[in-house]
Amino acid sequence: MARQRRLQGQSDTKLDKGTNSSSSNGSNSTNNKSMKTTSLLSYWKQIIGCIVLGIAVSLGYMGYLETRVNTPFDDKKMVVRSGLEVSEQFWGSYRPGLYFGFKTRDPASLVTGLMWYFPKRLRPGGDGIRHWCEQGDGLEKYGWLQHDGHSFGVQQIIDGAHVFDTSFVKRLGGAHGGDWTARISVDLKPNLKDSRTQNEEISLLWYTALDEETKGHISLTNSATKLTGIKGATSGLGEFTIKLTNHSGVVLHESYLSTVAPGLHLLKETVVASLRLAQDKPTAPRRIVLAGELLPEAGIEKAEPNFVAIQLTGKVPFTLDVVFESGSFGTRQDTLVGETYTKALAWHQARFTQRFEDTFGLQKRGYGPKEIGFAQAALSNMVGGIGYFFGTSKVQSFYTKEPVHYWRAPLYTAVPSRSFFPRGFLWDEGFHGFLISTWDLDLELDIISHWFDLMNVEGWIPREQILGVEALAKIPEEFVVQRNTNANPPTFFLTLQYILRKYYDKLSEGRLATLERLYPRLQAWFAWFNTTQKGSVPGSYRWRGRDPLTNRELNPKTLTSGLDDYPRASHPTENEYHIDLYCWIAIAADTLAKLANLLDRDGYKYEQTAEYLKDNVLMDNLHWSNYASRYSDYGYHTDSVKLKRPKPLPRSQNQNLEMIRVTLKNPEYRLVDSTFGYVSLFPFLLQLVDPDSLKLGQILDDLRNPDLIWTKYGLRSLSKNSPLYMKRNTEHDPPYWRGQIWININFLAVRSLHYYANTEGPYREKSEKIYQELRANIINNVMSQYFKTGYLWEQYNDETGEGSGCRPFTGWTALTVMLMGEHY
Ligand SMILES: *[C@@H]1O[C@H](CO)[C@@H](O)[C@H](O)[C@H]1NC(C)=O
Ligand SMILES: *[C@@H]1O[C@H](CO)[C@@H](O)[C@H](O)[C@H]1NC(C)=O
């Protein structure tokens, strides 16, 4: 994860400004004589002609280079079935950035969802209306408790004194993805029920909206005086109705809004602008209502609404059923509402519980109901957080003057955090793949397929995917552009390694066909890494994207590595090289070789590269420090740097200049071996260290050392005695990967301990012992923080174990479930 993303330095790539015009100066001379006979005029004509041709060729060539960054990889598409061809996956909770909302896997989907507020606590500007998952809402807890990624989900939300249970069940039928029903129950917290003196009013808004791409229409259905719901038709959904009924509780009043919203990112603002005060009779209480029809007149005809919302205000406790019915579902026996819904939901829940136990075996391992509840929630937020996005990234290459648009494309992906990072991240997704493939292999293959369709002709995949207005609205403009010089750890190779190891026997024909289509893309991806991220010394690799010119940062960040501010060489140069990237490439080659073998392709060169890089002699020569006895990066480095506030100039207005970095001792080329932490562990984390290497023994000792990275809560990212342990990178950037405990790397560590504990060698027992300890520490802390705070967190404090960073973070932190079930 990268919280503070900055535009990348553009100056760090040696560019091959390849021109294909080579001119030879000296002429060799069999033609000399005839040259002389050429008239001066035609001589000049020729020259001018050559120049014009040269310019045209090079313009054409430049034009060609300019378009490469956003030209799709030219081969069979990965996603072969989409939209209604996969009708069971058409509808879903594919808007993870919302507390509760649905859309379809259709580029131009209708969207629908919930907003709510307590009228008594609504403040000017709409403060108090809940819609998008915002940390600022300060909810005590929210997240899926159960969700199977297909057909149902159960979520709990705690907002102040109130508990919201939101759930949905899908029912297939007809030609447009079938029906679903969503239920929202609001009640006081159990411990407040006795003291209940008044039933507070709650307003629930259910809306549907179309974006400009969606062909179709929506409107209200009126039955006599009561509003009952919304009806409409779109190209993807055919005709449909949405009916609202109160399953229990009394509706005090209802109102609606039918209007034109300026965009899907402004739905809440549109609601806020339309709220009014109304009174039934002079003596009646004044109520906050929606304004009704607010349609601009376009000429004589009124514009068509693209946003219809119904507000029901009731007294807590209150339960609302929202029933979506598809017009083409002709064989429907009964409506999925009321008791029918209650039963259907219970059936799904029981099935889920069984499948969860079959998959992870937690009961079998002695976990109790509360712990299993935690694990179910972690998994459910991962699969319930899967979104469907459609749009274009903005990308830039050396050859494009300005950022340009990537092609418009869908992305089906899990997200790291529903509040803070509700979009796709390349290296996170490889980690997510461990859990998702364990739960549902085909779901994971579908996700991988979508990601690899985003590969361009160069073999590059942008690392952060900001597709569509809802995603874009969550990120500052300056962080949007993705550069094609920049990598991100190719973690999908790890997912594939896991799938090949674990599900080799389950690779049916259909799954193999997916891997067949994937193979050429993986080859291109590998080639892109192996060439563009090459280091200056044979066998070495270097992350691009570090800023060599900045004097703001204590240690220029390496966002591309995924480990943002983890300290590297203090002065970035083209001669540095990075041990983590070396390991990623080794694993990539190895996995590709295994896949080639499975698919009966010629994987010889991948085998060769894997063998070459896995050779511990090469790795040790490049990266092992005999002095510090650890693996390290290499580069132009000094530890003697610090942030200092410059002295203001005399009589200067600005007395408070930003701190800058000062270098107290000249850097020199060396291993960066005073630093110890996650990066030093990579040869172990990716299982490249030979099981009988003495270095493995050293790594295990260092890993278990509380003075270095061992804590009761997991491994801290940077050892306490590293020079930049918990140091700020600028005065505005607090430490991020400089001590905090991250679960993705801890997962890799546990997985490796398990591997070395089960592999012949002198360190089996030691590995086994540490394996048990580390596994227990992580599970206990993530779980106890969840019970204490209601959330899984982005990272954990290495002194106290407390959650920090953003929340909920049910991306890779949810890998805790893998540790509980011992799936590696
Ligand atoms: C809502 O539900 C309750 C109980 O289920 C019922 O008594 C009431 O009439 C319903 N309708 C409205 C509009 O409140
Ligand atoms: C990767 O790059 C190295 C060095 O440039 C080269 O020798 C090797 O053959 C490449 N591997 C593959 C599989 O292309």
mmCIF file of all heavy atoms in Angstrom, residues 202-236:
data_model
loop_
_atom_site.group_PDB
_atom_site.id
_atom_site.type_symbol
_atom_site.label_atom_id
_atom_site.label_comp_id
_atom_site.label_asym_id
_atom_site.label_seq_id
_atom_site.Cartn_x
_atom_site.Cartn_y
_atom_site.Cartn_z
ATOM 1 N N ILE A 202 -35.355 7.586 12.362
ATOM 2 C CA ILE A 202 -34.282 7.299 11.412
ATOM 3 C C ILE A 202 -34.839 7.477 10.000
ATOM 4 O O ILE A 202 -35.965 7.097 9.730
ATOM 5 C CB ILE A 202 -33.759 5.856 11.602
ATOM 6 C CG1 ILE A 202 -32.854 5.408 10.444
ATOM 7 C CG2 ILE A 202 -34.886 4.844 11.671
ATOM 8 C CD1 ILE A 202 -31.429 5.523 10.727
ATOM 9 N N SER A 203 -34.050 8.075 9.134
ATOM 10 C CA SER A 203 -34.450 8.195 7.730
ATOM 11 C C SER A 203 -33.564 7.314 6.872
ATOM 12 O O SER A 203 -32.337 7.430 6.902
ATOM 13 C CB SER A 203 -34.330 9.646 7.254
ATOM 14 O OG SER A 203 -35.305 10.433 7.878
ATOM 15 N N LEU A 204 -34.210 6.401 6.168
ATOM 16 C CA LEU A 204 -33.479 5.530 5.239
ATOM 17 C C LEU A 204 -33.808 5.967 3.815
ATOM 18 O O LEU A 204 -34.973 6.137 3.469
ATOM 19 C CB LEU A 204 -33.909 4.070 5.430
ATOM 20 C CG LEU A 204 -33.702 3.453 6.816
ATOM 21 C CD1 LEU A 204 -34.302 2.048 6.859
ATOM 22 C CD2 LEU A 204 -32.213 3.397 7.152
ATOM 23 N N LEU A 205 -32.785 6.157 3.014
ATOM 24 C CA LEU A 205 -32.993 6.518 1.610
ATOM 25 C C LEU A 205 -32.494 5.376 0.739
ATOM 26 O O LEU A 205 -31.343 4.943 0.875
ATOM 27 C CB LEU A 205 -32.173 7.751 1.227
ATOM 28 C CG LEU A 205 -32.653 9.118 1.653
ATOM 29 C CD1 LEU A 205 -32.329 9.344 3.107
ATOM 30 C CD2 LEU A 205 -32.004 10.174 0.773
ATOM 31 N N TRP A 206 -33.348 4.894 -0.130
ATOM 32 C CA TRP A 206 -32.885 3.924 -1.119
ATOM 33 C C TRP A 206 -32.952 4.591 -2.493
ATOM 34 O O TRP A 206 -33.950 5.208 -2.824
ATOM 35 C CB TRP A 206 -33.733 2.641 -1.096
ATOM 36 C CG TRP A 206 -33.013 1.588 -1.876
ATOM 37 C CD1 TRP A 206 -33.149 1.326 -3.211
ATOM 38 C CD2 TRP A 206 -32.000 0.700 -1.388
ATOM 39 N NE1 TRP A 206 -32.275 0.327 -3.587
ATOM 40 C CE2 TRP A 206 -31.561 -0.069 -2.488
ATOM 41 C CE3 TRP A 206 -31.419 0.480 -0.136
ATOM 42 C CZ2 TRP A 206 -30.572 -1.048 -2.371
ATOM 43 C CZ3 TRP A 206 -30.439 -0.487 -0.026
ATOM 44 C CH2 TRP A 206 -30.023 -1.253 -1.129
ATOM 45 N N TYR A 207 -31.871 4.497 -3.233
ATOM 46 C CA TYR A 207 -31.855 5.206 -4.513
ATOM 47 C C TYR A 207 -31.402 4.298 -5.643
ATOM 48 O O TYR A 207 -30.764 3.260 -5.417
ATOM 49 C CB TYR A 207 -30.929 6.427 -4.444
ATOM 50 C CG TYR A 207 -29.462 6.057 -4.315
ATOM 51 C CD1 TYR A 207 -28.715 5.708 -5.437
ATOM 52 C CD2 TYR A 207 -28.836 6.046 -3.076
ATOM 53 C CE1 TYR A 207 -27.378 5.353 -5.320
ATOM 54 C CE2 TYR A 207 -27.504 5.695 -2.949
ATOM 55 C CZ TYR A 207 -26.778 5.342 -4.079
ATOM 56 O OH TYR A 207 -25.460 4.990 -3.963
ATOM 57 N N THR A 208 -31.740 4.709 -6.841
ATOM 58 C CA THR A 208 -31.105 4.143 -8.025
ATOM 59 C C THR A 208 -30.622 5.303 -8.873
ATOM 60 O O THR A 208 -31.200 6.391 -8.849
ATOM 61 C CB THR A 208 -32.057 3.305 -8.896
ATOM 62 O OG1 THR A 208 -33.089 4.158 -9.360
ATOM 63 C CG2 THR A 208 -32.652 2.152 -8.144
ATOM 64 N N ALA A 209 -29.559 5.064 -9.610
ATOM 65 C CA ALA A 209 -29.030 6.120 -10.470
ATOM 66 C C ALA A 209 -28.425 5.516 -11.723
ATOM 67 O O ALA A 209 -27.961 4.373 -11.723
ATOM 68 C CB ALA A 209 -27.970 6.922 -9.717
ATOM 69 N N LEU A 210 -28.476 6.298 -12.779
ATOM 70 C CA LEU A 210 -27.865 5.898 -14.045
ATOM 71 C C LEU A 210 -26.732 6.870 -14.316
ATOM 72 O O LEU A 210 -26.872 8.055 -14.030
ATOM 73 C CB LEU A 210 -28.868 6.034 -15.195
ATOM 74 C CG LEU A 210 -30.243 5.396 -15.027
ATOM 75 C CD1 LEU A 210 -31.168 5.852 -16.144
ATOM 76 C CD2 LEU A 210 -30.108 3.878 -15.053
ATOM 77 N N ASP A 211 -25.621 6.384 -14.828
ATOM 78 C CA ASP A 211 -24.649 7.389 -15.265
ATOM 79 C C ASP A 211 -24.905 7.670 -16.745
ATOM 80 O O ASP A 211 -25.779 7.076 -17.364
ATOM 81 C CB ASP A 211 -23.211 6.993 -14.929
ATOM 82 C CG ASP A 211 -22.663 5.898 -15.811
ATOM 83 O OD1 ASP A 211 -23.306 5.567 -16.830
ATOM 84 O OD2 ASP A 211 -21.591 5.368 -15.484
ATOM 85 N N GLU A 212 -24.147 8.601 -17.314
ATOM 86 C CA GLU A 212 -24.486 9.043 -18.661
ATOM 87 C C GLU A 212 -24.358 7.939 -19.698
ATOM 88 O O GLU A 212 -24.958 8.006 -20.756
ATOM 89 C CB GLU A 212 -23.643 10.256 -19.033
ATOM 90 C CG GLU A 212 -22.171 10.079 -18.721
ATOM 91 C CD GLU A 212 -21.434 11.414 -18.672
ATOM 92 O OE1 GLU A 212 -21.484 12.104 -17.640
ATOM 93 O OE2 GLU A 212 -20.829 11.739 -19.701
ATOM 94 N N GLU A 213 -23.580 6.921 -19.372
ATOM 95 C CA GLU A 213 -23.382 5.831 -20.324
ATOM 96 C C GLU A 213 -24.557 4.846 -20.344
ATOM 97 O O GLU A 213 -24.723 4.095 -21.282
ATOM 98 C CB GLU A 213 -22.132 5.015 -19.941
ATOM 99 C CG GLU A 213 -20.885 5.819 -19.716
ATOM 100 C CD GLU A 213 -20.205 6.173 -21.013
ATOM 101 O OE1 GLU A 213 -20.321 5.378 -21.956
ATOM 102 O OE2 GLU A 213 -19.588 7.254 -21.079
ATOM 103 N N THR A 214 -25.296 4.816 -19.236
ATOM 104 C CA THR A 214 -26.338 3.798 -19.117
ATOM 105 C C THR A 214 -27.533 4.160 -19.998
ATOM 106 O O THR A 214 -28.110 5.226 -19.841
ATOM 107 C CB THR A 214 -26.817 3.689 -17.662
ATOM 108 O OG1 THR A 214 -25.716 3.904 -16.797
ATOM 109 C CG2 THR A 214 -27.417 2.335 -17.378
ATOM 110 N N LYS A 215 -27.886 3.259 -20.886
ATOM 111 C CA LYS A 215 -29.077 3.500 -21.703
ATOM 112 C C LYS A 215 -30.278 2.944 -20.962
ATOM 113 O O LYS A 215 -30.325 1.766 -20.648
ATOM 114 C CB LYS A 215 -28.927 2.792 -23.053
ATOM 115 C CG LYS A 215 -27.900 3.467 -23.926
ATOM 116 C CD LYS A 215 -28.021 2.999 -25.368
ATOM 117 C CE LYS A 215 -26.956 3.678 -26.198
ATOM 118 N NZ LYS A 215 -25.592 3.367 -25.684
ATOM 119 N N GLY A 216 -31.260 3.828 -20.707
ATOM 120 C CA GLY A 216 -32.436 3.346 -20.021
ATOM 121 C C GLY A 216 -33.131 4.473 -19.300
ATOM 122 O O GLY A 216 -32.830 5.647 -19.509
ATOM 123 N N HIS A 217 -34.095 4.112 -18.470
ATOM 124 C CA HIS A 217 -34.822 5.134 -17.730
ATOM 125 C C HIS A 217 -35.255 4.581 -16.388
ATOM 126 O O HIS A 217 -35.396 3.363 -16.219
ATOM 127 C CB HIS A 217 -36.050 5.603 -18.523
ATOM 128 C CG HIS A 217 -36.972 4.472 -18.871
ATOM 129 N ND1 HIS A 217 -37.940 4.002 -18.024
ATOM 130 C CD2 HIS A 217 -37.046 3.695 -19.980
ATOM 131 C CE1 HIS A 217 -38.582 2.994 -18.590
ATOM 132 N NE2 HIS A 217 -38.053 2.783 -19.780
ATOM 133 N N ILE A 218 -35.465 5.466 -15.438
ATOM 134 C CA ILE A 218 -35.975 5.079 -14.124
ATOM 135 C C ILE A 218 -37.032 6.082 -13.696
ATOM 136 O O ILE A 218 -36.961 7.260 -14.056
ATOM 137 C CB ILE A 218 -34.855 5.048 -13.053
ATOM 138 C CG1 ILE A 218 -33.960 6.284 -13.140
ATOM 139 C CG2 ILE A 218 -34.022 3.790 -13.137
ATOM 140 C CD1 ILE A 218 -32.902 6.377 -12.054
ATOM 141 N N SER A 219 -38.022 5.602 -12.947
ATOM 142 C CA SER A 219 -39.036 6.519 -12.436
ATOM 143 C C SER A 219 -39.681 5.909 -11.199
ATOM 144 O O SER A 219 -39.430 4.758 -10.854
ATOM 145 C CB SER A 219 -40.097 6.790 -13.504
ATOM 146 O OG SER A 219 -40.692 5.567 -13.878
ATOM 147 N N LEU A 220 -40.548 6.697 -10.560
ATOM 148 C CA LEU A 220 -41.215 6.206 -9.361
ATOM 149 C C LEU A 220 -42.419 5.377 -9.725
ATOM 150 O O LEU A 220 -43.049 5.600 -10.745
ATOM 151 C CB LEU A 220 -41.721 7.396 -8.554
ATOM 152 C CG LEU A 220 -40.661 8.220 -7.869
ATOM 153 C CD1 LEU A 220 -41.229 9.579 -7.553
ATOM 154 C CD2 LEU A 220 -40.215 7.513 -6.597
ATOM 155 N N THR A 221 -42.746 4.418 -8.896
ATOM 156 C CA THR A 221 -44.044 3.761 -9.040
ATOM 157 C C THR A 221 -44.945 4.308 -7.967
ATOM 158 O O THR A 221 -44.587 4.309 -6.786
ATOM 159 C CB THR A 221 -43.926 2.236 -8.843
ATOM 160 O OG1 THR A 221 -43.234 1.992 -7.614
ATOM 161 C CG2 THR A 221 -43.161 1.589 -9.964
ATOM 162 N N ASN A 222 -46.104 4.786 -8.343
ATOM 163 C CA ASN A 222 -47.040 5.308 -7.347
ATOM 164 C C ASN A 222 -48.240 4.393 -7.269
ATOM 165 O O ASN A 222 -48.804 4.029 -8.278
ATOM 166 C CB ASN A 222 -47.545 6.686 -7.751
ATOM 167 C CG ASN A 222 -46.478 7.716 -7.558
ATOM 168 O OD1 ASN A 222 -45.375 7.541 -8.043
ATOM 169 N ND2 ASN A 222 -46.797 8.766 -6.861
ATOM 170 N N SER A 223 -48.603 4.010 -6.057
ATOM 171 C CA SER A 223 -49.868 3.308 -5.931
ATOM 172 C C SER A 223 -50.745 4.165 -5.051
ATOM 173 O O SER A 223 -50.435 4.398 -3.893
ATOM 174 C CB SER A 223 -49.660 1.924 -5.321
ATOM 175 O OG SER A 223 -49.551 2.016 -3.932
ATOM 176 N N ALA A 224 -51.785 4.677 -5.637
ATOM 177 C CA ALA A 224 -52.677 5.626 -4.962
ATOM 178 C C ALA A 224 -51.842 6.751 -4.363
ATOM 179 O O ALA A 224 -51.164 7.472 -5.076
ATOM 180 C CB ALA A 224 -53.513 4.921 -3.904
ATOM 181 N N THR A 225 -51.816 6.864 -3.045
ATOM 182 C CA THR A 225 -51.079 7.973 -2.454
ATOM 183 C C THR A 225 -49.687 7.541 -2.001
ATOM 184 O O THR A 225 -48.823 8.368 -1.806
ATOM 185 C CB THR A 225 -51.826 8.519 -1.223
ATOM 186 O OG1 THR A 225 -52.058 7.415 -0.354
ATOM 187 C CG2 THR A 225 -53.130 9.162 -1.604
ATOM 188 N N LYS A 226 -49.518 6.230 -1.824
ATOM 189 C CA LYS A 226 -48.236 5.766 -1.275
ATOM 190 C C LYS A 226 -47.213 5.552 -2.379
ATOM 191 O O LYS A 226 -47.531 5.029 -3.431
ATOM 192 C CB LYS A 226 -48.431 4.437 -0.526
ATOM 193 C CG LYS A 226 -49.101 4.625 0.795
ATOM 194 C CD LYS A 226 -48.131 5.186 1.795
ATOM 195 C CE LYS A 226 -48.863 5.520 3.093
ATOM 196 N NZ LYS A 226 -48.217 6.590 3.838
ATOM 197 N N LEU A 227 -46.027 5.911 -2.063
ATOM 198 C CA LEU A 227 -44.928 5.567 -2.944
ATOM 199 C C LEU A 227 -44.577 4.131 -2.636
ATOM 200 O O LEU A 227 -44.498 3.745 -1.483
ATOM 201 C CB LEU A 227 -43.714 6.425 -2.628
ATOM 202 C CG LEU A 227 -43.946 7.914 -2.656
ATOM 203 C CD1 LEU A 227 -42.881 8.609 -1.872
ATOM 204 C CD2 LEU A 227 -43.972 8.380 -4.086
ATOM 205 N N THR A 228 -44.382 3.353 -3.631
ATOM 206 C CA THR A 228 -44.010 1.977 -3.324
ATOM 207 C C THR A 228 -42.646 1.612 -3.841
ATOM 208 O O THR A 228 -42.078 0.624 -3.427
ATOM 209 C CB THR A 228 -45.029 0.988 -3.913
ATOM 210 O OG1 THR A 228 -45.148 1.276 -5.308
ATOM 211 C CG2 THR A 228 -46.349 1.099 -3.226
ATOM 212 N N GLY A 229 -42.125 2.388 -4.743
ATOM 213 C CA GLY A 229 -40.814 1.993 -5.229
ATOM 214 C C GLY A 229 -40.424 2.672 -6.524
ATOM 215 O O GLY A 229 -40.881 3.758 -6.853
ATOM 216 N N ILE A 230 -39.556 1.973 -7.220
ATOM 217 C CA ILE A 230 -38.954 2.524 -8.427
ATOM 218 C C ILE A 230 -39.109 1.488 -9.518
ATOM 219 O O ILE A 230 -39.034 0.286 -9.261
ATOM 220 C CB ILE A 230 -37.457 2.808 -8.165
ATOM 221 C CG1 ILE A 230 -37.299 3.832 -7.037
ATOM 222 C CG2 ILE A 230 -36.761 3.301 -9.431
ATOM 223 C CD1 ILE A 230 -35.897 3.903 -6.435
ATOM 224 N N LYS A 231 -39.356 1.941 -10.723
ATOM 225 C CA LYS A 231 -39.344 0.997 -11.843
ATOM 226 C C LYS A 231 -38.473 1.564 -12.939
ATOM 227 O O LYS A 231 -38.134 2.762 -12.926
ATOM 228 C CB LYS A 231 -40.762 0.750 -12.346
ATOM 229 C CG LYS A 231 -41.393 1.985 -12.947
ATOM 230 C CD LYS A 231 -42.773 1.699 -13.501
ATOM 231 C CE LYS A 231 -43.239 2.987 -14.174
ATOM 232 N NZ LYS A 231 -44.553 3.317 -14.296
ATOM 233 N N GLY A 232 -38.111 0.731 -13.868
ATOM 234 C CA GLY A 232 -37.276 1.223 -14.948
ATOM 235 C C GLY A 232 -36.888 0.124 -15.898
ATOM 236 O O GLY A 232 -37.357 -1.019 -15.784
ATOM 237 N N ALA A 233 -36.046 0.501 -16.833
ATOM 238 C CA ALA A 233 -35.513 -0.467 -17.789
ATOM 239 C C ALA A 233 -34.173 0.060 -18.266
ATOM 240 O O ALA A 233 -33.998 1.259 -18.450
ATOM 241 C CB ALA A 233 -36.458 -0.621 -18.975
ATOM 242 N N THR A 234 -33.216 -0.850 -18.373
ATOM 243 C CA THR A 234 -31.933 -0.475 -18.977
ATOM 244 C C THR A 234 -31.553 -1.570 -19.953
ATOM 245 O O THR A 234 -32.129 -2.668 -19.927
ATOM 246 C CB THR A 234 -30.794 -0.338 -17.944
ATOM 247 O OG1 THR A 234 -30.461 -1.641 -17.443
ATOM 248 C CG2 THR A 234 -31.173 0.565 -16.783
ATOM 249 N N SER A 235 -30.567 -1.279 -20.786
ATOM 250 C CA SER A 235 -30.175 -2.274 -21.794
ATOM 251 C C SER A 235 -29.666 -3.545 -21.123
ATOM 252 O O SER A 235 -29.909 -4.637 -21.598
ATOM 253 C CB SER A 235 -29.128 -1.682 -22.735
ATOM 254 O OG SER A 235 -28.069 -1.132 -21.972
ATOM 255 N N GLY A 236 -28.982 -3.410 -20.002
ATOM 256 C CA GLY A 236 -28.447 -4.595 -19.340
ATOM 257 C C GLY A 236 -29.482 -5.344 -18.516
ATOM 258 O O GLY A 236 -29.441 -6.567 -18.413
#
